[in-house]
Amino acid sequence: MTTAPTWDDLLTTALLGTDRRTLPLDPADLAGREAPAALLDAAAVAAVRRRAGLRPGRAGTRPEPAPADTRPALPPAAAHRLTLLLTDRPGGGGGRRGSTPDLTELLPQWLAAANAHGYAAPPQTVPALLDAARARTDLRPAALEFAGARALWLARLNPDWRFAQRSASGGASALPGAEDEEGVRRLWQEGLFAERVALLAVLRARTPAAARELLAETWSQERAEDRLMFLDSLRAGLSPADEPFLEQALGDRSRNVRATAAELLSTLPGSALAARMAQRAATCVALDHTGSSAAIVVEAPAACDPDMERDGVTARPPAGRGERSWWLGQLVEAAPLDTWPERLGGRTPEQIVALPVTDDWQGELHAAWCRAAVRQRDARWARALLGSPSAPEAGGPGAVSLADRAKLLAALEADERAAWVAGFIAGHGLSEAFQLLGVCALPWTAPLGRAVVDALDIAREAGSYPWSFSGVMGLAERCLDPAETARLDSLLAVPDEREDASPGAGGYWAEAFQRLATTLRLRAAMVRELAPDGGA
């Protein structure tokens, strides 16, 4: 009787082929059968034998059950919608989008609305929420808030979801409370860097002074890159009480830490640093009454002394910049904007930016005022520097780029911001509006929504291809108020093409507007489904 072949014998024969290696079987077992079939049968028997011979492994420790989520459950329709949003996959290939909405772009809005209602995530959706948050960092805060403590419980069991434990917002519930002084101190002394950052952020939101005092205790022992991250957390709840600590940080051995401390101090108008920078800047900028009308005269600093460097002025300019103009810009940017009305004859910001500036210093001076208005979030100066949205090229005196205008707009209240952008679009179209639309609050106000739709209609009438405006169209799908859907009805038909229009453009526009209308109706349905009565 032939001994049964070993697993290695069978594997070798399968790799080489039965025509190149004799099958290690009893000839009686091969009677009437092809060699390959006999090999597979023998392998099946050997596999069962191998498995039967395995010893059972030692049972592991059973994990603690997931914590209960006491928040209210999602309405059934909203739960079904969430499943659809999580299972949708964007089409590939970069081809024609058609009229079907992109559901993945609606997930962030759905999560924000669900969190606003305080709903709990259905347990079966938590793995998919973690997968979505892993793939898209922009989803993480909202997805982890919605998934709740169960997401952290699962993250401990799967290394692919480890990011959830590093998230400050997602891990806040696992952090010790401010009243647990021993737990706070132990985590601060022994925790991972991400846990310490999360702890500092949570403490700063609850008790700013306690967070600052905790940081001060270990400040001298921290690495420079860690000191920079910890210092940045003081932006939340920044107050005059933080000034002594920040003044101390001005002497830090790291240039980046010194610069961040100086920036934070410059946003406190009553700080000693702000007063020092105001004094330096005021010596460089003054009124010139020698001509027939008032003008601003600039005398840039002749040197960057050690005191200026300690206060955050970088001595070495970037390539292509002159030293004196570089120093001037930093001084003016850090000086409180309230310095200038008193220094320049009691004029308002609008009157100041309208004054001529001698010796070609206007661009440098106004650009520094722009940065100061953004840093200090001063709406009066932002308004003055933006100028009228209908002005030629819509460029305010210091708004030298769309990025500058977008930053200045962020200093305005939401309604005023939207009105300015609507005026810009009405006067200049959509070709440069994408960056400006990105800073407008959601959903867009009715005037802004009308301005966008009207400008898209004008582009359609001009015969342009719609993908030239695909960025704005994508924003409209996410940001346009669903109440504007009715205004799109007249744009859904394929128009008669003009002779000078791009071939087929009318059909593409009708498709794009159909997708926009469908997406808006879907967003409206999402809001209804999330209502406590489930949209009934």
Side-chain angles (χ1 to χ4, degrees):
M1 181 176 180
T2 304
T3 304
T6 66
W7 180 258
D8 289 340
D9 288 338
L10 293 171
L11 183 61
T12 302
T13 303
L15 290 173
L16 294 176
T18 54
D19 56 341
R20 298 179 59 188
R21 189 173 192 272
T22 302
L23 198 64
L25 294 174
D26 190 313
D29 294 334
L30 290 171
R33 291 193 299 165
E34 295 290 335
L39 175 64
L40 291 176
D41 288 343
V45 172
V48 172
R49 184 181 295 117
R50 282 162 56 87
R51 291 177 181 175
L54 288 177
R55 294 181 178 180
R58 186 179 298 275
T61 303
R62 178 176 296 180
E64 291 293 325
D69 196 331
T70 58
R71 295 175 296 178
L74 273 176
H80 178 66
R81 180 72 64 190
L82 173 62
T83 301
L84 295 177
L85 295 176
L86 288 171
T87 55
D88 184 67
R89 295 291 182 269
R96 188 167 176 171
R97 284 186 60 191
S99 59
T100 304
D102 185 353
L103 298 186
T104 59
E105 291 304 317
L106 297 181
L107 183 56
Q109 289 191 23
W110 189 96
L111 288 170
N115 286 332
H117 284 287
Y119 288 127
Q124 69 274 15
T125 65
V126 175
L129 284 165
L130 284 166
D131 282 338
R134 181 190 178 202
R136 290 180 56 178
T137 56
D138 62 308
L139 284 178
R140 288 183 182 179
L144 293 177
E145 179 185 350
F146 180 59
R150 285 171 174 164
L152 295 178
W153 181 85
L154 276 178
R156 298 186 191 101
L157 305 176
N158 186 345
D160 289 344
W161 297 330
R162 194 176 300 153
F163 69 88
Q165 295 178 282
R166 298 194 297 265
S167 169
S169 59
S173 59
L175 296 173
E179 67 284 352
D180 183 6
E181 295 183 6
E182 182 181 349
V184 167
R185 192 167 301 279
R186 183 171 57 252
L187 183 58
W188 181 250
Q189 296 287 349
E190 303 173 3
L192 300 173
F193 173 69
E195 293 173 328
R196 300 177 74 208
V197 171
L199 175 65
L200 197 64
V202 171
L203 285 179
R204 187 67 178 174
R206 298 172 181 168
T207 52
R212 183 184 62 250
E213 292 165 4
L214 190 68
L215 179 57
E217 290 179 7
T218 60
W219 180 257
S220 60
Q221 287 83 45
E222 305 290 353
R223 299 182 306 166
E225 56 266 34
D226 294 352
R227 293 199 304 275
L228 184 62
M229 288 289 292
F230 292 146
L231 191 64
D232 199 62
S233 69
L234 297 185
R235 294 181 188 276
L238 187 67
S239 72
D242 299 315
E243 183 177 356
F245 178 79
L246 294 173
E247 277 283 344
Q248 179 186 354
L250 289 176
D252 195 271
R253 57 187 179 273
S254 166
R255 183 182 66 182
N256 290 333
V257 171
R258 294 195 303 270
T260 300
E263 180 191 348
L264 293 174
L265 283 168
S266 70
T267 63
L268 295 173
S271 69
L273 180 136
R276 294 193 296 270
M277 298 302 257
Q279 184 177 7
R280 293 179 182 123
T283 62
C284 300
V285 181
L287 276 178
D288 179 11
H289 294 288
T290 59
S292 58
S293 60
I296 295 176
V297 61
V298 173
E299 181 65 32
C304 182
D305 59 47
D307 288 340
M308 289 169 59
E309 288 194 67
R310 181 183 182 276
D311 283 348
V313 177
T314 303
R316 179 175 295 180
R321 288 289 301 274
E323 286 184 331
R324 299 184 67 195
S325 64
W326 173 244
W327 300 331
L328 172 72
Q330 294 179 80
L331 294 181
V332 174
E333 177 181 355
L337 288 164
D338 288 343
T339 302
W340 304 113
E342 181 180 354
R343 176 66 174 162
L344 301 175
R347 290 174 170 81
T348 65
E350 288 80 5
Q351 292 169 330
I352 290 172
V353 298
L355 288 173
V357 183
T358 61
D359 298 328
D360 296 325
W361 282 105
Q362 178 167 314
E364 189 69 49
L365 181 61
H366 286 185
W369 277 336
C370 276
R371 296 192 298 273
V374 172
R375 178 184 291 191
Q376 299 171 37
R377 300 194 66 81
D378 191 305
R380 296 175 308 151
W381 278 86
R383 197 176 295 120
L385 290 160
L386 278 167
S388 170
S390 60
E393 299 183 358
V400 295
S401 69
L402 285 173
D404 289 331
R405 295 170 197 151
K407 292 174 183 175
L408 287 169
L409 283 168
L412 303 180
E413 292 295 329
D415 287 349
E416 185 179 2
R417 194 185 317 159
W420 196 95
V421 177
F424 177 94
I425 293 171
H428 306 280
L430 291 169
S431 59
E432 293 186 345
F434 181 80
Q435 209 166 358
L436 304 179
L437 285 167
V439 300
C440 293
L442 303 181
W444 288 339
T445 62
L448 178 56
R450 286 193 295 270
V452 171
V453 173
D454 290 345
L456 288 170
D457 189 22
I458 291 171
R460 178 184 68 106
E461 290 292 335
S464 303
Y465 274 126
W467 47 75
S468 301
F469 303 90
S470 59
V472 174
M473 188 68 79
L475 275 179
E477 291 173 16
R478 299 189 296 275
C479 308
L480 198 64
D481 192 328
E484 297 293 312
T485 307
R487 298 190 65 247
L488 299 172
D489 291 343
S490 62
L491 306 176
L492 302 182
V494 178
D496 296 331
E497 292 189 359
R498 296 167 25 182
E499 292 183 1
D500 57 346
S502 300
Y508 282 104
W509 273 111
E511 199 172 72
F513 280 122
Q514 180 64 59
R515 182 175 61 251
L516 175 58
T518 303
T519 302
L520 294 181
R521 293 189 183 96
L522 181 55
R523 285 175 49 208
M526 284 165 39
V527 172
R528 291 193 302 269
E529 292 163 357
L530 284 165
D533 59 0

